[in-house]
Amino acid sequence: MTSHALLPASPQLALADDLLALLRTTTTEPRPDDQLDALTLAVAADLPVLLWGEPGIGKTAALTQLADSLDLPLTTVIASVHEPTDFSGLPIVGDDPAVQGVPMAPPQWAVELVRAGRGLLFLDELSTATPAVQAALLRVVLERRVGALQLPPGVRIVAAANPRASAADGWELSPPLANRFVHLYWMHDRDVVVRGLGGVWPRAELPRLDPERLPEAVAFARRAVCGFLHTRPTLIHRLPSTETRRGGAWPSPRSWETALTLLAFGTAASVSREVLALLVRGAVGDGPGLELLAHLDRMELPDPELLLADPPAAELPERGDLRQAALEAVVAAVGARPERDRWEAGWAVLVRAMETGAPDLLVAPAKALAGLRRDDWEVPATVERLARVVGIADRAEKSVTRAEAAGAGRVLGVAR
């Protein structure tokens, strides 16, 4: 009887394999992608990441592409189809357990990771793992231990989960396990999907850390997080009240340490604010994360006294909200110590702001500074130049307000 293994392959099946190979042949290109940049930075920082997203959104494909781009062997473990002993180890009785103890034998995938010395461990379907399996995963995620085996430093951990509503027999994540992850919510991008299906996906690249900025980045991150928690001590540890929110990102000393690490890496790599926001909110939650970001903005504001000391050389923030905040701080500093030379320096700072940015931001600070004038103070010559620009901006703002009011009136008229 002839073995089927010795029969020649069907020509049509061979052609089908060729066609499948062509369909699977894709390439990558450098392209801005905030989600991917956040993921790669957290991986570089050696922090466990949990990707949340609906089924079919592309979480697994993103991890496969990430492993290929970083040249890391990918080990996929479906958490929901494993037993707790697959992560905590299976007890093996030796020759003399009373003396040598009972070692916990690790599974094959962990042994292969240790043998390779590096790799990307992908824990999939985490939200369908039972509470007992989630408990066994705690040591894997935090201590990098599987049974008696210590995973090498070259192994990075990324997990994926579906929201409970869209998971098959889903469970909420236990708070101890959830608090060990950086939570990133994976969304599909139309352009990425369309171009990727055309054969070109965005390339995952590790962040480019500036070696000269490393000490500065660590100092900034520590100053930012410690300064923020000093003013908001109630956010040091806040366990959410609902089961669903406890399974996501929330503030604790552990997650604040994670946020500090991410902030240092993001500063050293000069990542965008959008990427930094994804990471910080993914570590400590939306509310505390947004408050920390606002605190960072305040830290970036220039000292108003330095601006008043040398107005022609004043360096003002480029972002409109930060620029206006800096100008308001200058006016507040003059108001706190109203002296003629300081009042005139305040006008010089506003002139500098007019020369380097949009004049509409000067309306409110100029009116406030004018209100600080004493009767015996002469108006500087620069004020006339500033007044013309501010007056134009003020009139434009009023015309827009009148137009909006007229439009609202017409809408009300139609409604009647």
Side-chain angles (χ1 to χ4, degrees):
M1 187 173 180
T2 304
S3 170
H4 290 288
L6 300 179
L7 293 176
S10 166
Q12 288 301 317
L13 283 180
L15 286 174
D17 290 340
D18 292 342
L19 181 56
L20 288 173
L22 288 173
L23 286 169
R24 293 167 183 159
T25 301
T26 60
T27 186
T28 60
E29 64 180 359
R31 192 186 330 150
D33 188 317
D34 291 342
Q35 289 185 142
L36 199 54
D37 290 345
L39 173 59
T40 53
L41 189 138
V43 168
D46 198 16
L47 295 170
V49 184
L50 177 54
L51 303 182
W52 288 95
E54 298 295 335
I57 203 72
K59 303 185 295 296
T60 303
L63 262 296
T64 302
Q65 196 267 327
L66 174 66
D68 290 341
S69 298
L70 303 183
D71 192 27
L72 289 174
L74 179 65
T75 299
T76 301
V77 178
I78 309 298
S80 58
V81 300
H82 284 267
E83 298 293 330
T85 52
D86 293 334
F87 301 104
S88 59
L90 189 67
I92 303 295
V93 179
D95 296 334
D96 195 349
V99 176
Q100 299 178 358
V102 179
M104 307 297 286
Q108 182 181 357
W109 59 263
V111 174
E112 292 176 351
L113 271 174
V114 171
R115 188 180 297 126
R118 52 194 289 274
L120 185 64
L121 174 58
F122 179 32
L123 302 172
D124 203 2
E125 303 292 346
L126 204 61
S127 55
T128 56
T130 64
V133 171
Q134 292 186 27
L137 280 168
L138 290 174
R139 290 195 74 198
V140 178
V141 175
L142 183 63
E143 300 177 22
R144 310 298 175 93
R145 295 191 70 89
V146 184
L149 202 62
Q150 178 73 53
L151 296 178
V155 173
R156 300 298 198 259
I157 297 177
V158 180
N162 300 322
R164 183 174 181 178
S166 57
D169 297 325
W171 301 78
E172 297 291 357
L173 254 62
S174 67
L177 183 60
N179 199 235
R180 284 164 165 80
F181 282 104
V182 178
H183 298 254
L184 297 179
Y185 294 86
W186 209 254
M187 306 291 290
H188 81 273
D189 181 278
R190 180 192 61 187
D191 294 335
V192 169
V193 172
V194 171
R195 190 155 176 78
L197 292 175
V200 183
W201 294 96
R203 183 179 305 148
E205 296 179 337
L206 289 174
R208 297 183 180 276
L209 302 175
D210 184 348
E212 296 182 357
R213 297 196 65 187
L214 300 188
E216 169 198 341
V218 172
F220 174 76
R222 287 176 172 167
R223 186 170 69 254
V225 173
C226 294
F228 173 71
L229 293 179
H230 180 74
T231 60
R232 295 286 279 128
T234 58
L235 290 180
I236 291 177
H237 188 277
R238 180 178 288 180
L239 182 66
S241 57
T242 65
E243 184 183 9
T244 300
R245 294 179 61 191
R246 285 197 294 266
W250 47 274
S252 72
R254 178 191 293 120
S255 59
W256 281 116
E257 183 180 9
T258 297
L260 191 153
T261 300
L262 292 168
L263 186 55
F265 268 77
T267 302
S270 300
V271 300
S272 69
R273 180 182 173 84
E274 290 74 20
V275 171
L276 193 61
L278 288 174
L279 292 165
V280 169
R281 293 166 63 185
V284 296
D286 287 338
L290 290 172
E291 286 195 44
L292 176 61
L293 292 169
H295 177 74
L296 296 180
D297 287 340
R298 292 191 293 272
M299 289 178 62
E300 293 176 2
L301 293 178
D303 186 341
E305 293 298 337
L306 295 179
L307 298 179
L308 289 169
D310 190 6
E315 293 290 338
L316 295 165
E318 293 184 5
R319 265 180 51 191
D321 58 336
L322 297 183
R323 174 174 286 241
Q324 185 150 21
L327 296 177
E328 290 171 354
V330 166
V331 175
V334 174
R337 187 156 56 93
E339 300 171 0
R340 180 173 177 176
D341 58 339
R342 289 169 58 80
W343 184 70
E344 292 178 350
W347 286 112
V349 172
L350 294 187
V351 170
R352 173 67 174 168
M354 178 188 66
E355 295 171 343
T356 59
D360 57 325
L361 299 177
L362 305 177
V363 176
K367 289 180 178 179
L369 189 61
L372 298 175
R373 178 178 176 269
R374 303 289 174 86
D375 293 339
D376 57 339
W377 291 354
E378 294 183 5
V379 178
T382 55
V383 174
E384 182 179 354
R385 177 186 169 198
L386 186 67
R388 286 198 300 268
V389 177
V390 171
I392 293 173
D394 196 12
R395 287 196 298 272
E397 183 179 350
K398 289 179 179 178
S399 66
V400 171
T401 303
R402 286 196 299 270
E404 290 177 347
R410 285 195 296 270
V411 171
L412 291 174
V414 172
R416 293 193 186 99

PDB file of all heavy atoms in Angstrom, residues 137-169:
ATOM      1  N   LEU A 137      -0.806  33.886  36.526  1.00  0.00           N
ATOM      2  CA  LEU A 137      -0.066  34.771  35.628  1.00  0.00           C
ATOM      3  C   LEU A 137       0.613  35.932  36.350  1.00  0.00           C
ATOM      4  O   LEU A 137       1.452  36.622  35.754  1.00  0.00           O
ATOM      5  CB  LEU A 137      -1.011  35.333  34.553  1.00  0.00           C
ATOM      6  CG  LEU A 137      -1.322  34.424  33.377  1.00  0.00           C
ATOM      7  CD1 LEU A 137      -2.472  34.987  32.557  1.00  0.00           C
ATOM      8  CD2 LEU A 137      -0.099  34.239  32.503  1.00  0.00           C
ATOM      9  N   LEU A 138       0.255  36.167  37.604  1.00  0.00           N
ATOM     10  CA  LEU A 138       0.816  37.309  38.316  1.00  0.00           C
ATOM     11  C   LEU A 138       2.339  37.251  38.367  1.00  0.00           C
ATOM     12  O   LEU A 138       3.019  38.237  38.099  1.00  0.00           O
ATOM     13  CB  LEU A 138       0.249  37.369  39.744  1.00  0.00           C
ATOM     14  CG  LEU A 138      -1.233  37.760  39.857  1.00  0.00           C
ATOM     15  CD1 LEU A 138      -1.699  37.646  41.307  1.00  0.00           C
ATOM     16  CD2 LEU A 138      -1.455  39.175  39.351  1.00  0.00           C
ATOM     17  N   ARG A 139       2.898  36.094  38.695  1.00  0.00           N
ATOM     18  CA  ARG A 139       4.356  35.978  38.784  1.00  0.00           C
ATOM     19  C   ARG A 139       5.001  36.069  37.407  1.00  0.00           C
ATOM     20  O   ARG A 139       6.110  36.590  37.270  1.00  0.00           O
ATOM     21  CB  ARG A 139       4.750  34.660  39.451  1.00  0.00           C
ATOM     22  CG  ARG A 139       4.435  34.571  40.922  1.00  0.00           C
ATOM     23  CD  ARG A 139       5.166  33.406  41.559  1.00  0.00           C
ATOM     24  NE  ARG A 139       6.581  33.668  41.717  1.00  0.00           N
ATOM     25  CZ  ARG A 139       7.491  32.718  41.919  1.00  0.00           C
ATOM     26  NH1 ARG A 139       7.124  31.443  41.952  1.00  0.00           N
ATOM     27  NH2 ARG A 139       8.756  33.023  42.069  1.00  0.00           N
ATOM     28  N   VAL A 140       4.301  35.565  36.394  1.00  0.00           N
ATOM     29  CA  VAL A 140       4.860  35.625  35.040  1.00  0.00           C
ATOM     30  C   VAL A 140       5.017  37.078  34.615  1.00  0.00           C
ATOM     31  O   VAL A 140       6.062  37.490  34.085  1.00  0.00           O
ATOM     32  CB  VAL A 140       3.963  34.862  34.050  1.00  0.00           C
ATOM     33  CG1 VAL A 140       4.535  34.966  32.640  1.00  0.00           C
ATOM     34  CG2 VAL A 140       3.830  33.399  34.466  1.00  0.00           C
ATOM     35  N   VAL A 141       3.978  37.883  34.864  1.00  0.00           N
ATOM     36  CA  VAL A 141       3.970  39.271  34.394  1.00  0.00           C
ATOM     37  C   VAL A 141       4.887  40.147  35.238  1.00  0.00           C
ATOM     38  O   VAL A 141       5.624  40.981  34.708  1.00  0.00           O
ATOM     39  CB  VAL A 141       2.528  39.819  34.396  1.00  0.00           C
ATOM     40  CG1 VAL A 141       2.521  41.294  34.034  1.00  0.00           C
ATOM     41  CG2 VAL A 141       1.665  39.029  33.422  1.00  0.00           C
ATOM     42  N   LEU A 142       4.866  39.970  36.564  1.00  0.00           N
ATOM     43  CA  LEU A 142       5.624  40.866  37.423  1.00  0.00           C
ATOM     44  C   LEU A 142       7.059  40.396  37.636  1.00  0.00           C
ATOM     45  O   LEU A 142       8.015  41.161  37.477  1.00  0.00           O
ATOM     46  CB  LEU A 142       4.927  41.009  38.782  1.00  0.00           C
ATOM     47  CG  LEU A 142       5.595  41.996  39.747  1.00  0.00           C
ATOM     48  CD1 LEU A 142       5.551  43.405  39.169  1.00  0.00           C
ATOM     49  CD2 LEU A 142       4.923  41.960  41.108  1.00  0.00           C
ATOM     50  N   GLU A 143       7.236  39.118  37.986  1.00  0.00           N
ATOM     51  CA  GLU A 143       8.568  38.622  38.329  1.00  0.00           C
ATOM     52  C   GLU A 143       9.264  37.902  37.176  1.00  0.00           C
ATOM     53  O   GLU A 143      10.426  37.520  37.290  1.00  0.00           O
ATOM     54  CB  GLU A 143       8.466  37.665  39.523  1.00  0.00           C
ATOM     55  CG  GLU A 143       7.877  38.312  40.773  1.00  0.00           C
ATOM     56  CD  GLU A 143       7.725  37.312  41.901  1.00  0.00           C
ATOM     57  OE1 GLU A 143       8.424  36.282  41.885  1.00  0.00           O
ATOM     58  OE2 GLU A 143       6.903  37.559  42.800  1.00  0.00           O
ATOM     59  N   ARG A 144       8.536  37.690  36.070  1.00  0.00           N
ATOM     60  CA  ARG A 144       9.082  36.982  34.901  1.00  0.00           C
ATOM     61  C   ARG A 144       9.523  35.560  35.265  1.00  0.00           C
ATOM     62  O   ARG A 144      10.533  35.079  34.758  1.00  0.00           O
ATOM     63  CB  ARG A 144      10.260  37.762  34.288  1.00  0.00           C
ATOM     64  CG  ARG A 144       9.982  39.228  34.032  1.00  0.00           C
ATOM     65  CD  ARG A 144       8.849  39.415  33.045  1.00  0.00           C
ATOM     66  NE  ARG A 144       8.473  40.807  32.874  1.00  0.00           N
ATOM     67  CZ  ARG A 144       8.970  41.599  31.927  1.00  0.00           C
ATOM     68  NH1 ARG A 144       9.842  41.128  31.070  1.00  0.00           N
ATOM     69  NH2 ARG A 144       8.566  42.840  31.822  1.00  0.00           N
ATOM     70  N   ARG A 145       8.766  34.910  36.144  1.00  0.00           N
ATOM     71  CA  ARG A 145       9.064  33.544  36.526  1.00  0.00           C
ATOM     72  C   ARG A 145       7.940  32.624  36.071  1.00  0.00           C
ATOM     73  O   ARG A 145       6.759  32.940  36.226  1.00  0.00           O
ATOM     74  CB  ARG A 145       9.246  33.408  38.044  1.00  0.00           C
ATOM     75  CG  ARG A 145      10.439  34.153  38.592  1.00  0.00           C
ATOM     76  CD  ARG A 145      10.702  33.760  40.035  1.00  0.00           C
ATOM     77  NE  ARG A 145      11.194  32.379  40.120  1.00  0.00           N
ATOM     78  CZ  ARG A 145      12.462  32.034  40.052  1.00  0.00           C
ATOM     79  NH1 ARG A 145      13.405  32.957  39.880  1.00  0.00           N
ATOM     80  NH2 ARG A 145      12.823  30.768  40.141  1.00  0.00           N
ATOM     81  N   VAL A 146       8.327  31.479  35.497  1.00  0.00           N
ATOM     82  CA  VAL A 146       7.386  30.440  35.098  1.00  0.00           C
ATOM     83  C   VAL A 146       7.816  29.171  35.808  1.00  0.00           C
ATOM     84  O   VAL A 146       8.836  28.562  35.448  1.00  0.00           O
ATOM     85  CB  VAL A 146       7.378  30.227  33.572  1.00  0.00           C
ATOM     86  CG1 VAL A 146       6.304  29.214  33.184  1.00  0.00           C
ATOM     87  CG2 VAL A 146       7.153  31.547  32.846  1.00  0.00           C
ATOM     88  N   GLY A 147       7.064  28.778  36.819  1.00  0.00           N
ATOM     89  CA  GLY A 147       7.520  27.674  37.648  1.00  0.00           C
ATOM     90  C   GLY A 147       8.819  28.050  38.326  1.00  0.00           C
ATOM     91  O   GLY A 147       8.948  29.118  38.937  1.00  0.00           O
ATOM     92  N   ALA A 148       9.818  27.181  38.228  1.00  0.00           N
ATOM     93  CA  ALA A 148      11.131  27.455  38.816  1.00  0.00           C
ATOM     94  C   ALA A 148      12.059  28.176  37.843  1.00  0.00           C
ATOM     95  O   ALA A 148      13.228  28.398  38.145  1.00  0.00           O
ATOM     96  CB  ALA A 148      11.774  26.139  39.267  1.00  0.00           C
ATOM     97  N   LEU A 149      11.547  28.556  36.693  1.00  0.00           N
ATOM     98  CA  LEU A 149      12.376  29.125  35.627  1.00  0.00           C
ATOM     99  C   LEU A 149      12.263  30.643  35.609  1.00  0.00           C
ATOM    100  O   LEU A 149      11.163  31.200  35.677  1.00  0.00           O
ATOM    101  CB  LEU A 149      11.921  28.549  34.283  1.00  0.00           C
ATOM    102  CG  LEU A 149      12.916  28.566  33.114  1.00  0.00           C
ATOM    103  CD1 LEU A 149      14.139  27.735  33.456  1.00  0.00           C
ATOM    104  CD2 LEU A 149      12.226  28.017  31.874  1.00  0.00           C
ATOM    105  N   GLN A 150      13.399  31.316  35.506  1.00  0.00           N
ATOM    106  CA  GLN A 150      13.440  32.767  35.396  1.00  0.00           C
ATOM    107  C   GLN A 150      13.606  33.158  33.936  1.00  0.00           C
ATOM    108  O   GLN A 150      14.571  32.758  33.285  1.00  0.00           O
ATOM    109  CB  GLN A 150      14.602  33.335  36.215  1.00  0.00           C
ATOM    110  CG  GLN A 150      14.752  34.845  36.130  1.00  0.00           C
ATOM    111  CD  GLN A 150      13.670  35.568  36.907  1.00  0.00           C
ATOM    112  OE1 GLN A 150      13.466  35.299  38.081  1.00  0.00           O
ATOM    113  NE2 GLN A 150      12.985  36.496  36.251  1.00  0.00           N
ATOM    114  N   LEU A 151      12.642  33.905  33.395  1.00  0.00           N
ATOM    115  CA  LEU A 151      12.756  34.355  32.013  1.00  0.00           C
ATOM    116  C   LEU A 151      13.898  35.356  31.888  1.00  0.00           C
ATOM    117  O   LEU A 151      14.086  36.201  32.778  1.00  0.00           O
ATOM    118  CB  LEU A 151      11.450  34.994  31.542  1.00  0.00           C
ATOM    119  CG  LEU A 151      10.224  34.067  31.480  1.00  0.00           C
ATOM    120  CD1 LEU A 151       8.998  34.850  31.038  1.00  0.00           C
ATOM    121  CD2 LEU A 151      10.473  32.891  30.549  1.00  0.00           C
ATOM    122  N   PRO A 152      14.670  35.319  30.826  1.00  0.00           N
ATOM    123  CA  PRO A 152      15.816  36.230  30.678  1.00  0.00           C
ATOM    124  C   PRO A 152      15.366  37.664  30.432  1.00  0.00           C
ATOM    125  O   PRO A 152      14.223  37.919  30.009  1.00  0.00           O
ATOM    126  CB  PRO A 152      16.553  35.658  29.458  1.00  0.00           C
ATOM    127  CG  PRO A 152      15.533  34.891  28.704  1.00  0.00           C
ATOM    128  CD  PRO A 152      14.573  34.357  29.716  1.00  0.00           C
ATOM    129  N   PRO A 153      16.256  38.647  30.686  1.00  0.00           N
ATOM    130  CA  PRO A 153      15.891  40.059  30.489  1.00  0.00           C
ATOM    131  C   PRO A 153      15.500  40.389  29.050  1.00  0.00           C
ATOM    132  O   PRO A 153      14.805  41.374  28.814  1.00  0.00           O
ATOM    133  CB  PRO A 153      17.166  40.806  30.901  1.00  0.00           C
ATOM    134  CG  PRO A 153      17.902  39.853  31.781  1.00  0.00           C
ATOM    135  CD  PRO A 153      17.592  38.499  31.270  1.00  0.00           C
ATOM    136  N   GLY A 154      15.946  39.587  28.086  1.00  0.00           N
ATOM    137  CA  GLY A 154      15.638  39.865  26.683  1.00  0.00           C
ATOM    138  C   GLY A 154      14.228  39.506  26.268  1.00  0.00           C
ATOM    139  O   GLY A 154      13.867  39.674  25.099  1.00  0.00           O
ATOM    140  N   VAL A 155      13.414  39.009  27.201  1.00  0.00           N
ATOM    141  CA  VAL A 155      12.025  38.644  26.881  1.00  0.00           C
ATOM    142  C   VAL A 155      11.099  39.792  27.256  1.00  0.00           C
ATOM    143  O   VAL A 155      11.156  40.317  28.372  1.00  0.00           O
ATOM    144  CB  VAL A 155      11.604  37.360  27.637  1.00  0.00           C
ATOM    145  CG1 VAL A 155      10.118  37.083  27.442  1.00  0.00           C
ATOM    146  CG2 VAL A 155      12.428  36.170  27.155  1.00  0.00           C
ATOM    147  N   ARG A 156      10.275  40.212  26.320  1.00  0.00           N
ATOM    148  CA  ARG A 156       9.263  41.237  26.557  1.00  0.00           C
ATOM    149  C   ARG A 156       7.885  40.578  26.579  1.00  0.00           C
ATOM    150  O   ARG A 156       7.658  39.573  25.911  1.00  0.00           O
ATOM    151  CB  ARG A 156       9.303  42.314  25.476  1.00  0.00           C
ATOM    152  CG  ARG A 156      10.637  43.060  25.356  1.00  0.00           C
ATOM    153  CD  ARG A 156      10.938  43.809  26.652  1.00  0.00           C
ATOM    154  NE  ARG A 156      11.925  44.849  26.488  1.00  0.00           N
ATOM    155  CZ  ARG A 156      13.200  44.755  26.815  1.00  0.00           C
ATOM    156  NH1 ARG A 156      13.671  43.609  27.287  1.00  0.00           N
ATOM    157  NH2 ARG A 156      14.019  45.781  26.685  1.00  0.00           N
ATOM    158  N   ILE A 157       6.959  41.153  27.351  1.00  0.00           N
ATOM    159  CA  ILE A 157       5.629  40.566  27.521  1.00  0.00           C
ATOM    160  C   ILE A 157       4.567  41.526  27.010  1.00  0.00           C
ATOM    161  O   ILE A 157       4.520  42.696  27.422  1.00  0.00           O
ATOM    162  CB  ILE A 157       5.362  40.217  28.994  1.00  0.00           C
ATOM    163  CG1 ILE A 157       6.351  39.161  29.481  1.00  0.00           C
ATOM    164  CG2 ILE A 157       3.930  39.714  29.183  1.00  0.00           C
ATOM    165  CD1 ILE A 157       6.201  38.806  30.953  1.00  0.00           C
ATOM    166  N   VAL A 158       3.729  41.044  26.099  1.00  0.00           N
ATOM    167  CA  VAL A 158       2.563  41.786  25.610  1.00  0.00           C
ATOM    168  C   VAL A 158       1.368  40.849  25.667  1.00  0.00           C
ATOM    169  O   VAL A 158       1.478  39.670  25.316  1.00  0.00           O
ATOM    170  CB  VAL A 158       2.777  42.300  24.173  1.00  0.00           C
ATOM    171  CG1 VAL A 158       1.545  43.069  23.698  1.00  0.00           C
ATOM    172  CG2 VAL A 158       4.006  43.189  24.094  1.00  0.00           C
ATOM    173  N   ALA A 159       0.238  41.355  26.126  1.00  0.00           N
ATOM    174  CA  ALA A 159      -0.994  40.568  26.195  1.00  0.00           C
ATOM    175  C   ALA A 159      -2.071  41.256  25.375  1.00  0.00           C
ATOM    176  O   ALA A 159      -1.945  42.424  24.990  1.00  0.00           O
ATOM    177  CB  ALA A 159      -1.441  40.400  27.643  1.00  0.00           C
ATOM    178  N   ALA A 160      -3.117  40.525  25.097  1.00  0.00           N
ATOM    179  CA  ALA A 160      -4.257  41.079  24.362  1.00  0.00           C
ATOM    180  C   ALA A 160      -5.536  40.562  24.993  1.00  0.00           C
ATOM    181  O   ALA A 160      -5.588  39.441  25.520  1.00  0.00           O
ATOM    182  CB  ALA A 160      -4.198  40.706  22.879  1.00  0.00           C
ATOM    183  N   ALA A 161      -6.579  41.384  24.951  1.00  0.00           N
ATOM    184  CA  ALA A 161      -7.853  41.000  25.541  1.00  0.00           C
ATOM    185  C   ALA A 161      -8.984  41.693  24.808  1.00  0.00           C
ATOM    186  O   ALA A 161      -8.809  42.783  24.245  1.00  0.00           O
ATOM    187  CB  ALA A 161      -7.886  41.364  27.028  1.00  0.00           C
ATOM    188  N   ASN A 162     -10.140  41.050  24.821  1.00  0.00           N
ATOM    189  CA  ASN A 162     -11.366  41.650  24.307  1.00  0.00           C
ATOM    190  C   ASN A 162     -12.177  42.170  25.486  1.00  0.00           C
ATOM    191  O   ASN A 162     -12.156  41.578  26.570  1.00  0.00           O
ATOM    192  CB  ASN A 162     -12.207  40.620  23.546  1.00  0.00           C
ATOM    193  CG  ASN A 162     -11.468  40.031  22.364  1.00  0.00           C
ATOM    194  OD1 ASN A 162     -10.731  40.732  21.670  1.00  0.00           O
ATOM    195  ND2 ASN A 162     -11.642  38.741  22.129  1.00  0.00           N
ATOM    196  N   PRO A 163     -12.910  43.274  25.313  1.00  0.00           N
ATOM    197  CA  PRO A 163     -13.814  43.699  26.386  1.00  0.00           C
ATOM    198  C   PRO A 163     -14.765  42.569  26.749  1.00  0.00           C
ATOM    199  O   PRO A 163     -15.130  41.747  25.911  1.00  0.00           O
ATOM    200  CB  PRO A 163     -14.562  44.883  25.759  1.00  0.00           C
ATOM    201  CG  PRO A 163     -13.662  45.377  24.679  1.00  0.00           C
ATOM    202  CD  PRO A 163     -12.949  44.170  24.151  1.00  0.00           C
ATOM    203  N   ARG A 164     -15.178  42.540  28.001  1.00  0.00           N
ATOM    204  CA  ARG A 164     -15.971  41.419  28.481  1.00  0.00           C
ATOM    205  C   ARG A 164     -17.231  41.217  27.649  1.00  0.00           C
ATOM    206  O   ARG A 164     -17.652  40.083  27.388  1.00  0.00           O
ATOM    207  CB  ARG A 164     -16.345  41.647  29.945  1.00  0.00           C
ATOM    208  CG  ARG A 164     -17.124  40.480  30.553  1.00  0.00           C
ATOM    209  CD  ARG A 164     -17.351  40.676  32.032  1.00  0.00           C
ATOM    210  NE  ARG A 164     -18.063  39.551  32.622  1.00  0.00           N
ATOM    211  CZ  ARG A 164     -18.359  39.450  33.910  1.00  0.00           C
ATOM    212  NH1 ARG A 164     -17.987  40.408  34.739  1.00  0.00           N
ATOM    213  NH2 ARG A 164     -19.008  38.399  34.368  1.00  0.00           N
ATOM    214  N   ALA A 165     -17.828  42.309  27.179  1.00  0.00           N
ATOM    215  CA  ALA A 165     -19.068  42.198  26.421  1.00  0.00           C
ATOM    216  C   ALA A 165     -18.878  41.470  25.101  1.00  0.00           C
ATOM    217  O   ALA A 165     -19.818  40.861  24.570  1.00  0.00           O
ATOM    218  CB  ALA A 165     -19.653  43.586  26.158  1.00  0.00           C
ATOM    219  N   SER A 166     -17.669  41.505  24.538  1.00  0.00           N
ATOM    220  CA  SER A 166     -17.430  40.869  23.243  1.00  0.00           C
ATOM    221  C   SER A 166     -16.499  39.669  23.350  1.00  0.00           C
ATOM    222  O   SER A 166     -16.035  39.160  22.340  1.00  0.00           O
ATOM    223  CB  SER A 166     -16.831  41.889  22.262  1.00  0.00           C
ATOM    224  OG  SER A 166     -15.647  42.454  22.778  1.00  0.00           O
ATOM    225  N   ALA A 167     -16.209  39.221  24.574  1.00  0.00           N
ATOM    226  CA  ALA A 167     -15.351  38.056  24.769  1.00  0.00           C
ATOM    227  C   ALA A 167     -16.206  36.820  24.999  1.00  0.00           C
ATOM    228  O   ALA A 167     -17.266  36.893  25.633  1.00  0.00           O
ATOM    229  CB  ALA A 167     -14.418  38.276  25.962  1.00  0.00           C
ATOM    230  N   ALA A 168     -15.751  35.697  24.486  1.00  0.00           N
ATOM    231  CA  ALA A 168     -16.464  34.439  24.688  1.00  0.00           C
ATOM    232  C   ALA A 168     -16.237  33.969  26.115  1.00  0.00           C
ATOM    233  O   ALA A 168     -15.109  33.678  26.506  1.00  0.00           O
ATOM    234  CB  ALA A 168     -15.964  33.389  23.693  1.00  0.00           C
ATOM    235  N   ASP A 169     -17.338  33.895  26.906  1.00  0.00           N
ATOM    236  CA  ASP A 169     -17.224  33.517  28.319  1.00  0.00           C
ATOM    237  C   ASP A 169     -16.182  34.381  29.020  1.00  0.00           C
ATOM    238  O   ASP A 169     -15.276  33.890  29.695  1.00  0.00           O
ATOM    239  CB  ASP A 169     -16.859  32.032  28.467  1.00  0.00           C
ATOM    240  CG  ASP A 169     -17.946  31.115  27.896  1.00  0.00           C
ATOM    241  OD1 ASP A 169     -19.130  31.484  28.026  1.00  0.00           O
ATOM    242  OD2 ASP A 169     -17.606  30.072  27.320  1.00  0.00           O
TER     243      ASP A 169
END
